[in-house]
Amino acid sequence: MLHALDAITAIRQGDETAAKPHSWLMKLVSAEERIVNLERITSIGQLAAANPVLDYVERTLKILDSLPVSYWIKELLEEVLMWAETAKGGTMRDRLRWQQSGVNLFLHNIGSAQLYERHIRDTGGVMTPHEEMVHTLILTHGLVGQHIRGEVPFEENLPLLQLVEQGQLTADELIRLLIPLNHCIVGAVSEELWHSVQEEVTALIRRLATGTQPNMWTYEDRLRRLRTASIARGEDFDRQLSQIRQQTDLTQALHGFQNMTLWYVEAALQDYSLEEFMKVLLLALHPKKLYRERQQEEVNPGSVSHLSFEPLMNDMYYDYQGVKKLNVYKKRMIEQYLRQMDWNTCLHGPATVNPHLSHRIERKPELPDTVFFTFEFSRAAEKLIEFCIEAEKSPLYEKAVLLLFDLFGLRRDAYDRFHNEESYLNDMNSTGDYKKVILDYITGEVVLDIGPGGGVLLDLMEEQLPHVRPFGIDISSNVIEALEKRKRLEYKTWEVLKGDALRLREYVEPGSVDTVIFSSIIHELYSYIEMDGFRFNRATVEAALFSAYEVLRPGGRIIIRDGIMTEPVDTMRRIRFREADGLEWLLRYASDFKGRAIVYEQLAQDEVRLPVNDAMEFLYTYTWGAEAYVHEVQEQFGYFTPSQYEECIRKTLGEEAIIRVQQHYLQEGYAEALADRIVFMDEEGQPVKLPDSTCLYVIEKPAHS
């Protein structure tokens, strides 16, 4: 076993004195600040009790220990790996002292090389050729991989070539050194990752060792590398970049970009769209002012060679139930900020004025060639976002989120899911069997799905109705982005576009659509959109129906699958809870639900009497469980009775509209889901079936209209 691994093992076994003879190990084990690429961890909460840098160094050494390389290579690389991450170590006092003496703690490969050099000089004076070689390998460690990711220009690796040019190594020896070194560095992140890049890393090292420089990047080459992970998740890079080119001159805007080194760019920006990514990049590359701590001072951007997104990376994640989560609250606000900013503003300013959010560009006095980019929220916005995170499972959540929307001017129905949006869309995709009934009533070729969610209905149409050209429309940019990525990855042919269901004629030519589908979406429009100053407004349903009717061809259809209320509305029902906390859930629901007053009479500790529609409205949310409660309590699933629905259709679309189908039924699965949780009874206490929960309406536009 390597001597370095022996020392780490002793530390792991509780021998606190084992680190003292090893300056590199003292630095790593004494770290008080967890400096780590958040892209590589799953839980931020665990950082307080862990040392991820020491863990990573140990993994690199274990890989080295297992490799079949010659003794001199193993000995040399052991020393490199021992020191390669030391700039991430040290106590707070150590780090302050290092920084004040000129050690670059923000660019960790440079800082680690500086710490190694100081250690050699403190212990032996002038560096030997061997130590100079170690110093160069520390200084450049990881840069081959970062070049492949698009973060580092090839020229940053040229100090390695000097080892050959100065006669310290032959080209073959440099290759034999760099391949196992990069295996250790990349493999310690993921052996799977190493296998995926091994061929490209090897080819690049051979070019480097022989002095054959690769072709210089175009800005498109580099952007494609920087977006590799996003492209793998379905981003249509070529189409989106082409759209951006039509709006701004990227050749001019990205001048100098090819020679700049980027740090933490993927970890900070991988969850943003290409357009958002590009706007951030231009804001960073074209600052009106750069800030040196507290004094403003205009600085020539051409003097910048390093652009770091580390502050943004550190600000974009939080711990949710033991898992590292993207701070989607901040992300949505940043998306809105960037959406309001055109390309000219990104290049020339001034930035959109928002008292609660701005982008910040910083320079450190000790690092004149480095710029740090992040977004800065006001104290009020920071506190409100913290409140949203804390309130994620409480009835305060809706109030907190609505305050956040008001602060940034966001529409409520565009952002109705936050910390569980991905799982919510997956849940929506699991409802395909319930939605198949809709396929029987589709007419014509052009079919519009309003609020497609995870795309399950679009998939069903593509698979089972090959003559149909389906497309979806949604107000949420995030839903559209997720659907576009899935479409690309799964080779779907349906289309999606961002738009407002209440103003369809602005996105779709009137009279051009054969079928418009509202599948479990009208109740969301009714619940979330304010009309005439308040939500839960019948006028919202009327606006949605009229909007759809406008874009229909004569003979076209509107298909509605949604919640329904029971008639007569004065029917009373009793609920006996089988779960100990069932009544508590009803009390909480009655307090939190804003659609209408939920009226009930408590008959016993576990039993209540209430109107049938209040009973069903509560049970819709009760069925979903605790995780979904804070979202489901905001929605009113049953908003019309059958007669009220017909009245609304006639009032909005006129007597000429033909109601081809008017059905209502109990959604399959409700009774089974509630069987062990409640007993549903009539007023005499006799068990009865649950009433119908779901309606299906097919409305046809006359062929002569």
Side-chain angles (χ1 to χ4, degrees), residues 111-310:
S112 295
Q114 290 172 327
L115 289 173
Y116 175 76
E117 182 179 7
R118 291 185 179 200
H119 166 71
I120 296 301
R121 288 179 176 170
D122 289 344
T123 57
V126 180
M127 285 200 292
T128 66
H130 167 87
E131 290 160 347
E132 288 177 355
M133 198 181 308
V134 171
H135 178 268
T136 300
L137 291 168
I138 296 171
L139 181 67
T140 57
H141 85 277
L143 298 186
V144 169
Q146 286 176 277
H147 175 75
I148 289 172
R149 289 159 62 105
E151 297 170 339
V152 173
F154 180 79
E155 290 72 20
E156 293 291 322
N157 289 286
L158 291 182
L160 293 166
L161 178 59
Q162 292 174 8
L163 296 176
V164 176
E165 293 175 341
Q166 294 169 2
Q168 293 177 269
L169 292 171
T170 65
D172 181 64
E173 287 172 336
L174 182 61
I175 293 168
R176 290 167 57 204
L177 266 176
L178 292 182
I179 292 175
L181 175 59
N182 279 274
H183 184 174
C184 295
I185 292 168
V186 178
V189 176
S190 161
E191 279 289 349
E192 183 180 355
L193 178 61
W194 166 246
H195 292 308
S196 70
V197 300
Q198 181 178 359
E199 185 175 340
E200 189 172 4
V201 166
T202 301
L204 193 64
I205 288 171
R206 292 186 184 281
R207 280 178 169 269
L208 178 64
T210 57
T212 309
Q213 292 202 31
N215 294 332
M216 188 174 180
W217 279 331
T218 64
Y219 74 79
E220 183 177 335
D221 293 335
R222 189 169 193 190
L223 290 173
R224 191 183 302 277
R225 287 180 178 272
L226 289 169
R227 299 298 290 178
T228 298
S230 299
I231 293 169
R233 293 196 299 269
E235 178 176 276
D236 191 346
F237 176 85
D238 293 315
R239 180 179 64 83
Q240 293 177 26
L241 186 64
S242 176
Q243 291 173 345
I244 295 170
R245 280 200 193 103
Q246 294 170 17
Q247 300 172 63
T248 190
D249 182 356
L250 286 182
T251 302
Q252 180 64 30
L254 294 174
H255 178 70
F257 164 63
Q258 287 94 322
N259 299 320
M260 188 174 288
T261 298
L262 306 179
W263 299 92
Y264 300 103
V265 61
E266 186 171 355
L269 296 173
Q270 64 181 341
D271 293 294
Y272 290 90
S273 69
L274 179 61
E275 179 177 325
E276 292 157 355
F277 174 90
M278 291 299 299
K279 285 184 175 180
V280 169
L281 196 57
L282 295 190
L283 288 173
L285 292 173
H286 297 271
K288 296 297 290 181
K289 292 276 188 181
L290 297 179
Y291 293 88
R292 289 182 182 267
E293 293 188 334
R294 297 180 183 176
Q295 71 174 34
Q296 285 191 8
E297 179 183 334
E298 218 170 305
V299 177
N300 175 16
S303 65
V304 174
S305 56
H306 299 280
L307 175 57
S308 174
F309 293 95
E310 185 177 12

Side-chain angles (χ1 to χ4, degrees), residues 239-240 243 447-459 461-462 469-488 492-499 507-508:
R239 180 179 64 83
Q240 293 177 26
Q243 291 173 345
V447 181
L448 172 56
D449 182 15
I450 306 294
V456 60
L457 195 53
L458 296 173
D459 289 343
M461 286 187 279
E462 182 173 317
R469 290 186 285 119
F471 70 105
I473 189 167
D474 201 291
I475 193 67
S476 170
S477 301
N478 300 80
V479 169
I480 295 300
E481 184 180 342
L483 284 169
E484 286 180 337
K485 288 180 178 179
R486 193 168 74 80
K487 173 191 172 181
R488 184 170 171 79
K492 300 295 184 181
T493 60
W494 40 252
E495 300 290 340
V496 290
L497 59 93
K498 185 177 184 295
Y507 316 95
V508 181

Side-chain angles (χ1 to χ4, degrees), residues 268-495:
L269 296 173
Q270 64 181 341
D271 293 294
Y272 290 90
S273 69
L274 179 61
E275 179 177 325
E276 292 157 355
F277 174 90
M278 291 299 299
K279 285 184 175 180
V280 169
L281 196 57
L282 295 190
L283 288 173
L285 292 173
H286 297 271
K288 296 297 290 181
K289 292 276 188 181
L290 297 179
Y291 293 88
R292 289 182 182 267
E293 293 188 334
R294 297 180 183 176
Q295 71 174 34
Q296 285 191 8
E297 179 183 334
E298 218 170 305
V299 177
N300 175 16
S303 65
V304 174
S305 56
H306 299 280
L307 175 57
S308 174
F309 293 95
E310 185 177 12
L312 179 59
M313 175 193 71
N314 290 334
D315 206 34
M316 287 306 298
Y317 297 94
Y318 68 100
D319 210 66
Y320 175 71
Q321 296 183 353
V323 177
K324 180 194 71 175
K325 295 288 287 187
L326 175 72
N327 192 322
V328 72
Y329 306 95
K330 288 189 173 180
K331 179 174 181 281
R332 296 288 170 80
M333 303 312 124
I334 291 171
E335 289 169 344
Q336 174 78 346
Y337 179 82
L338 295 171
R339 194 174 298 120
Q340 294 172 338
M341 191 177 295
D342 61 26
W343 296 102
N344 187 62
T345 302
C346 293
L347 290 169
H348 307 295
T352 304
V353 177
N354 187 315
H356 298 290
L357 178 60
S358 60
H359 64 280
R360 188 176 80 246
I361 299 168
E362 290 184 331
R363 255 181 157 167
K364 314 286 184 183
E366 66 275 18
L367 300 171
D369 64 345
T370 304
V371 158
F372 298 85
F373 182 94
T374 191
F375 289 94
E376 187 171 55
F377 291 81
S378 69
R379 293 188 66 183
E382 287 280 6
K383 293 296 182 184
L384 192 49
I385 290 168
E386 289 177 18
F387 181 35
C388 289
I389 292 171
E390 291 298 319
E392 280 178 350
K393 280 197 171 184
S394 82
L396 292 172
Y397 181 73
E398 180 189 10
K399 297 181 178 66
V401 170
L402 289 176
L403 285 172
L404 196 60
F405 296 150
D406 291 342
L407 203 63
F408 288 92
L410 296 172
R411 265 183 57 162
R412 181 64 184 90
D413 61 307
Y415 299 98
D416 64 314
R417 303 279 161 175
F418 271 95
H419 67 284
N420 72 336
E421 178 175 71
E422 184 176 344
S423 60
Y424 173 72
L425 292 178
N426 288 336
D427 287 343
M428 292 302 97
N429 278 348
S430 69
T431 63
D433 289 345
Y434 302 147
K435 296 185 177 185
K436 283 182 180 178
V437 63
I438 291 171
L439 303 184
D440 296 335
Y441 301 98
I442 288 173
T443 189
E445 295 181 0
V446 181
V447 181
L448 172 56
D449 182 15
I450 306 294
V456 60
L457 195 53
L458 296 173
D459 289 343
L460 286 171
M461 286 187 279
E462 182 173 317
E463 293 162 7
Q464 301 190 25
L465 301 175
H467 67 285
V468 162
R469 290 186 285 119
F471 70 105
I473 189 167
D474 201 291
I475 193 67
S476 170
S477 301
N478 300 80
V479 169
I480 295 300
E481 184 180 342
L483 284 169
E484 286 180 337
K485 288 180 178 179
R486 193 168 74 80
K487 173 191 172 181
R488 184 170 171 79
L489 285 176
E490 300 177 16
Y491 305 101
K492 300 295 184 181
T493 60
W494 40 252
E495 300 290 340

Side-chain angles (χ1 to χ4, degrees), residues 494-552:
W494 40 252
E495 300 290 340
V496 290
L497 59 93
K498 185 177 184 295
D500 187 344
L502 305 189
R503 300 197 300 271
L504 289 175
R505 66 177 300 132
E506 296 181 12
Y507 316 95
V508 181
E509 183 71 26
S512 65
V513 179
D514 295 302
T515 304
V516 178
I517 300 171
F518 293 95
S519 180
S520 293
I521 196 66
I522 290 184
H523 78 274
E524 294 197 3
L525 303 176
Y526 175 79
S527 301
Y528 292 132
I529 295 180
E530 285 193 2
M531 189 74 74
D532 303 323
F534 64 95
R535 297 185 294 146
F536 305 104
N537 190 338
R538 174 179 173 143
T540 306
V541 181
E542 294 170 354
L545 292 177
F546 183 77
S547 175
Y549 205 68
E550 276 191 305
V551 301
L552 278 185

